[in-house]
Amino acid sequence: MSRYSAFALLRNWLGGNTDWDPVWRSPEPASSYDVIIIGAGGHGLATAYHLAKHYRPGRIAVIDKGWLGGGNTGRNTTIVRSDYFYKESADFYDHSLRLYASLSQELNFNIMYSARGILNLAHSRHEVDFQRRIVNAMQLNGIDAELLGREEVLKFCPVLNGDPNARFPIYGAMRQKRGGTVRHDAVAWGYARAADALGVDILQNTEVTGFRRDISGGVQGVETSKGFIGATKVGIATAGHSSVVAQMAGFRLPVASYGLQAFVSEPVKPVLHTVIGSAVIGSYCSQSDKGGIVCGGGIDPYPSFAQRGSAATMEKVLAGIVQLVPTFSSLRLLRQWAGIVDYTADSSPIIDRSPVPGIYLNVGWGGGGFKAIPAGGEAFAHLIAKDEPHPLTTAFGLQRFRDGALIDEAAAAGIEH
Amino acid sequence: MTGYRLSHGGGRIDRGQSIDFSFNGKRYAGLAGDTLASALLANGVQLVGRSFKLHRPRGIVGAGCEETNALVQLEHGISSIPNVQATMIALEEGLVARSINAWPSLTWDIAGVNDRLRGLFSAGFYYKTFMWPDWHWFEWLIRRAAGLGKVPVVPDPQRYEARHVECDLLVIGGGRRGLAAAAQAARDGKSVLLVDLDQGLPSLEGVRTFEKTAALGIWDHGFVLAASEGRVIHRIRAEQIILATGKQERGIAFANNDLPGIMLAGAIGRYVADYAVAPGRSGIFFVNNDLGWRSAIEAAQCGVGVRAIVDARPQVLPELAHRARAHGIDLFFSSLVRSAHGRGRVTGVTIEKPDGLSRLACDFVGVSGGWNPASQLWTMAGGQTKFNERSQSFQPDGLVANVEWAGPEPIEAEPIWTVHGGDEKTMFVDFQTDVTVADIKLAARENYRSVEHLKRYTVLGMGVDQGKLSSVPGAMILAETIGAEPGTLSASKVRPPFVPTAFGLIGADLRGERFRPRRYLPAHEWHVREGAVFEDFGWERPAAYPVGGEDIQAAAEREAAAVRSGVGLFDGSPLGKILVAGPEAAAFLDRVYVGTPSTLKPGRIRYGLVLNENGTILDDGVYARLQDGSFLLSPSSAFADRMVRLLEDLLQCEWPMDVVVQDVTEQYAVWTVAGPNARNVLEALQPSFVLSSERFPHLSVREGQLDGSEVRIQRVSFSGELSYEIQVPAGQAVQMGDALMAAGKPYGLVPYGIEALEILRIEKGYIHVGTDTDSETQPGDIGFGGAIAKKQSDFLGRRALTRRSSLSPNRKQLVGLTSLCGGILPVGGHVRAPSGQSGGFVTSSQFSPVLGRGVALGLVEQGQRRLGEIVEIVSLGKRWQARISETVAYDREGGRLDT
Amino acid sequence: MMRIACPNCGLRDEREYAYGGEAHLDRPELDCDDQAWEEYLFLRANPKGEHAERWVHVHGCGVWFNLIRHTETHEVVAVYVMGVARP
């Protein structure tokens, strides 16, 4: 892998850009691997990278039915943050945010971590009280968080609706300064390039159609659209399709899949310099480096695998954006799309062994998987390599559903998490 | 300055009506019927914009929604709309438009230097650098360079509307096929709606026609959103949809193909025919299909100077060649335009003929690289496409329920996407985003070989036109580059909306207050009269009634003190009121509540909890047994709607019992009279029943008359004082409020708001579910373990209470918290555990005027076993010492309930 | 924007309804074990394909009913009243 740098860019400028290597290979599947990860999204690729770099379990493949990074990694609204309430979540997500901060150097790929801050607005005194609860929890967990008053909020983000008689007047906001955005595709591509350089085979356009198990029930490999591929261990990191893959392996998961939509406006000159959102209004947005206002909101209200989205949700989310920033009313929507997200009952993920020996789970991220990619990859690699949970994810197992020990971040939710 | 108005023709313009407009500060005149684009061309304005990345000078390319270069900031008085396609703007008197993305001016744009560095700014260059020391050092610069127009600084003055339309048949596209389909269906007696982007459609008998209307997309079950003139959004529900959306021309990538003056051949044809505008005096057409010829010949027929037609094919229909020659047009077969020349505008081209290269001067070029079906809506509806070899295009294929493709026959075209031999860095595929053949080849070299990777890496097709011109050529050039069979890579996925649409228009009927209508109390004007300060608690409710310059806090303390010492009046109308009746009502409610409603005697009231199946407290509230088979439930105001739904869900799906549920929450107002003098106030209004505690004890209900009105009165208390909740029909709310105020005057009765109620309930340790409980709180955590132990049968959530986490000794439990210094503890402050972590938090806190100190409630780990313990509370960097105490801080014995 | 046929009211827009979770889940008895309760509360079929689910005509007549809906195409395959077995 040739290194990326300003110097390499200059050299290629003079050389007509003919000297760039492929970012990853397009290998044919081997007959078997030591570890197969299903799902070449951020989590799957990061897992392969960490496995190859730190645990070296042998041959590793990441397989995907489509193009790498084509699921939720390439469909989300690029927000990263660690403003979580419970310690279990806070420790995990903040570790992820810290990994993001140095990920460009780690991968030698500019993932454009932009710590532009994230503002969660409060529209009543009661909400301010509630945010104080969260901010204090974050501070006790060692995470930066502030509670801003109305005037501070409007000074920090002047485009917000400052009308005291607005339907949702601003009373204050919670801010995490290290929160912000990361270029989503770059995360998939950066991990893919780095994993490929470490010998990981990324098998795109290879669809898993079933599992082969031995007489004791343990996994032997996967049936795919390109034939059988043997594997000692198989990790599932297929987000919205986790239950579809689980069904092939013969078990059910405590998840339901929903469409989560995202929206982007035409590009405009810089006007919004932070991430803004409101749980009460149900919308949030930020401005991409290209200039588009990237908007999101809640999930569609019924299960779906359509990657399309309901028009009613679109109306609500965009009307909500206009509530947040009235001048965005004349801004025009360029593109709407949806990803399929798998939600657990407590909106927290599952990183655990599955009921089938040799099959491991990294699922249930809901709408919040993107921000968790670096730590999710690290933890999942640890789980697969050592067959025991990473210390940061011991609470995120399947057992919690039997015990009732949910980590319900609904309490800490901005809009989604 | 090359374009001009022809002396004859122009189907759309009215030569008698001149229209003044301004572009980039300069005044021009156009004609009625012009678009901004046609008027600019007629005025010889060729340079209209700068491209996104390289800031290359650009001119008008198309004539409709495919336009990719001519984006302007459209200014209407104080409003200003960014990035509007000049081809889609109907010219209006006084119109003001400016070009975007150029500074200081369009002709002299500093960022034009980017073009000199174009090899450096290759596709995805930003992924490869700016990593050291940190992206933050560079991001601001990149952001400033990016973006096109500007967001207006004033609120959007446009008044948007949403309308619902139903029809048997929706025809999208008013061309020949669309009109024919619409007319036929109308004759067959169907209700037909026809929408088209354009105007001037013929009117058809029995067909509703929406002009200047863009169908934005097709959603589930054939639901269509369509936007009219950017102002009205139609929600169309059609039994059947016919897509007659026609075709779209595409370009050919040759060197410098983006010079102003180089346009789509079909667009030139439209400017000439519809607006009598010639783009120049000497043109060359570069084509690979017959329609390109027709555009050239029609232009020549209208008097436009057409110098040559360059066709990639070896021959053409004799009829076309004959007609072209008749207009003195030179013909070059098996020939290509290799490159265009000029600075800031096209002045000539180099053509590659079988016998070598030659150079021709010209001042405009028409390009026709073939035609794609306008299949965007088809694919949005879930339709498939199939590569058609003859036309080199992806044609709709297969079936979509209730959607029919009625597009044109594919137009035969030579496969020619790029002209080799020129500088690939100036062979543009996506003009707006500056994606060139070199960029696509770079992406292929780097193995970004999925069309979606290509799109994301190079930003091909991500401009305002969403790839209408560039997506298919981009995919074809990628296929050619990597040696894939033509057609094996289709264009990237198309997404709604078909044309850019204002956020405000999409959410048209959710603007302002309508986003979530406020709920007003039946006696709202009464509270206004009494000087209430309102806040949104799900309903607009009085927070307090300040007098004499009080702030809310001071008013609340005065009001709370008045309730404790005299009497107060509170509007509790949002409180849920749900009638549950039937022979099995009691048995049903036994399954719903933690307690046992079936043991309640008629006329009596009890407090109860409702859990979800995970064992978490959903709501608390009282229920009254009105008669043997009927109950009145009073869930909290925030839960009332959900409670009704929960009960219906259980009755219809889980336990089909002989019970009916009726929500009467909004039919009755509730006035709460609370305080030691409460009984005296009611006595003054001639109640039809005895109020004494013996005859009407605490936790009982009576129905009768008060002040001549029919009322239901519940003796319950959320303040700890003697308290009567008086339910009257909502229409009598103001009248009853006035009567109570008058009756209370001798006793110093004051109205009190939510904040005073907070003080009173916290003093008494009464919880507010959702504030003093969270998504983990179970009955045992708030002291209801005993009640459960006594009950035998199942109820909602019971099974969950015996799982491991429910039995954990470390659960957070509700306690009182008393600041050692007597001050007010911060709501949201946390109890710091010995580990330094959170050991719980303050959920409610107020200053108690009657106790002269702060009172608070909190959820604290193992709190009920730690009574008396002193803990540290931290909030936003400050600390407090507090004692864990009983939840009840005032009148622990409850004697005041029965004064 | 789907259209769903309410058993009482006929075809109405998606906006009038609310989704109510997977259909045909049997609530276990109080003496069931933790696993049975876990399955009832949390484990779901969540198929990419036909899904039996509960809906309520919340902004209409208020009836709860079952429908079978394809989760990828959103095609409504069948509507049937509560208490009836999956067709």
Side-chain angles (χ1 to χ4, degrees), chain A residues 165-385:
Chain A
N165 297 315
R167 179 67 187 87
F168 301 103
I170 292 171
Y171 276 67
M174 199 173 99
R175 177 170 69 182
Q176 185 184 23
K177 273 188 177 165
R178 286 185 299 130
T181 59
V182 165
R183 171 80 193 140
H184 56 1
D185 290 328
V187 174
W189 300 345
Y191 272 120
R193 174 167 167 266
D196 177 88
L198 293 168
V200 172
D201 281 358
I202 302 169
L203 310 173
Q204 302 183 70
N205 303 308
T206 307
E207 183 170 5
V208 170
T209 54
F211 288 79
R212 197 178 285 180
R213 293 165 65 175
D214 62 25
I215 197 133
S216 64
V219 72
Q220 283 183 316
V222 293
E223 308 286 352
T224 78
S225 55
K226 293 184 178 168
F228 174 76
I229 307 175
T232 316
K233 293 179 175 182
V234 177
I236 299 176
T238 52
H241 286 71
S242 58
S243 61
V244 177
V245 180
Q247 193 192 9
M248 293 178 201
F251 56 91
R252 285 192 300 167
L253 288 171
V255 301
S257 294
Y258 293 87
L260 178 59
Q261 302 188 48
F263 312 87
V264 66
S265 79
E266 58 198 337
V268 286
K269 290 294 175 193
V271 60
L272 176 61
H273 310 294
T274 185
V275 183
I276 54 175
S278 159
V280 167
I281 292 173
S283 301
Y284 65 92
C285 63
S286 67
Q287 186 170 22
S288 77
D289 288 337
K290 246 177 75 193
I293 305 293
V294 180
C295 312
I299 52 174
D300 282 0
Y302 43 81
S304 173
F305 287 84
Q307 294 191 333
R308 189 169 57 225
S310 161
T313 306
M314 173 173 76
E315 291 168 7
K316 264 188 243 168
V317 172
L318 296 181
I321 296 292
V322 176
Q323 294 280 338
L324 287 171
V325 184
T327 53
F328 285 176
S329 172
S330 58
L331 200 62
R332 293 176 311 161
L333 175 70
L334 209 54
R335 196 174 169 85
Q336 167 275 343
W337 65 95
I340 305 305
V341 294
D342 55 334
Y343 268 93
T344 59
D346 58 0
S347 311
S348 288
I350 299 163
I351 307 184
D352 200 358
R353 288 165 288 235
S354 82
V356 175
I359 296 182
Y360 301 84
L361 302 168
N362 173 346
V363 302
W365 293 100
F370 178 67
K371 70 179 77 65
I373 285 172
E378 191 177 303
F380 199 34
H382 181 282
L383 173 70
I384 292 171

Side-chain angles (χ1 to χ4, degrees), chain B residues 485-503:
Chain B
E485 279 293 305
T488 51
L489 297 182
S490 62
S492 57
K493 184 114 179 119
V494 183
R495 298 285 185 183
F498 178 68
V499 295
T501 308
F503 284 15

Side-chain angles (χ1 to χ4, degrees), chain B residues 219-252:
Chain B
W219 280 265
D220 285 336
H221 300 192
F223 179 74
V224 173
L225 287 176
S228 290
E229 299 183 58
R231 201 179 55 75
V232 181
I233 191 149
H234 300 282
R235 297 176 177 147
I236 305 172
R237 189 59 90 176
E239 297 302 321
Q240 205 203 350
I241 299 168
I242 291 183
L243 294 177
T245 43
K247 57 190 184 296
Q248 288 162 340
E249 200 167 21
R250 56 196 190 217
I252 298 171

Side-chain angles (χ1 to χ4, degrees), chain B residues 603-820:
Chain B
R604 296 309 303 262
I605 291 173
R606 195 180 281 160
Y607 174 82
L609 295 176
V610 179
L611 313 184
N612 64 18
E613 293 282 41
N614 197 39
T616 302
I617 298 170
L618 279 179
D619 192 45
D620 69 341
V622 299
Y623 47 85
R625 191 165 201 169
L626 301 178
Q627 283 134 33
D628 205 38
S630 84
F631 289 80
L632 176 69
L633 318 185
S634 303
S636 57
S637 51
F639 192 71
D641 296 344
R642 278 184 290 159
M643 183 70 166
V644 175
R645 247 178 79 187
L646 173 67
L647 296 174
E648 282 292 347
D649 180 350
L650 293 170
L651 279 173
Q652 293 186 40
C653 307
E654 198 59 52
W655 299 312
M657 299 168 85
D658 195 354
V659 176
V660 293
V661 172
Q662 191 180 10
D663 180 13
V664 295
T665 300
E666 297 194 3
Q667 294 175 31
Y668 295 93
V670 178
W671 287 108
T672 301
V673 182
N677 284 320
R679 188 176 291 125
N680 297 329
V681 176
L682 266 67
E683 290 288 9
L685 293 175
Q686 287 88 43
S688 66
F689 38 81
V690 179
L691 292 173
S692 71
S693 275
E694 294 72 40
R695 300 277 297 279
F696 187 178
H698 183 55
L699 292 179
S700 54
V701 57
R702 296 289 179 272
E703 289 173 339
Q705 286 96 40
L706 187 71
D707 193 37
S709 293
E710 294 295 326
V711 295
R712 178 187 291 130
I713 299 183
Q714 300 201 124
R715 250 200 81 182
V716 291
S717 180
F718 202 43
S719 59
E721 298 296 325
L722 172 66
S723 170
Y724 297 90
E725 286 186 5
I726 306 162
Q727 301 181 5
V728 291
Q732 294 169 31
V734 171
Q735 182 193 325
M736 182 58 75
D738 285 339
L740 289 164
M741 279 300 275
K745 202 162 186 192
Y747 306 98
L749 179 141
V750 297
Y752 66 101
I754 293 279
E755 289 305 307
L757 184 75
E758 282 287 294
I759 294 173
L760 296 165
R761 70 138 185 112
I762 297 167
E763 287 171 342
K764 289 295 299 175
Y766 295 147
I767 63 162
H768 181 243
V769 169
T771 301
D772 301 298
T773 66
D774 69 6
S775 59
E776 295 184 333
T777 311
Q778 298 184 344
D781 304 328
I782 61 164
F784 268 73
I788 293 171
K790 276 186 257 165
K791 186 169 174 177
Q792 297 295 316
S793 59
D794 194 6
F795 55 85
L796 281 184
R798 177 162 207 171
R799 179 60 189 81
L801 302 178
T802 50
R803 293 172 306 178
R804 192 188 297 174
S805 70
S806 306
L807 306 173
S808 159
N810 293 323
R811 299 187 60 82
K812 286 202 265 297
Q813 296 170 321
L814 185 76
V815 290
L817 290 164
T818 312
S819 163
L820 292 193

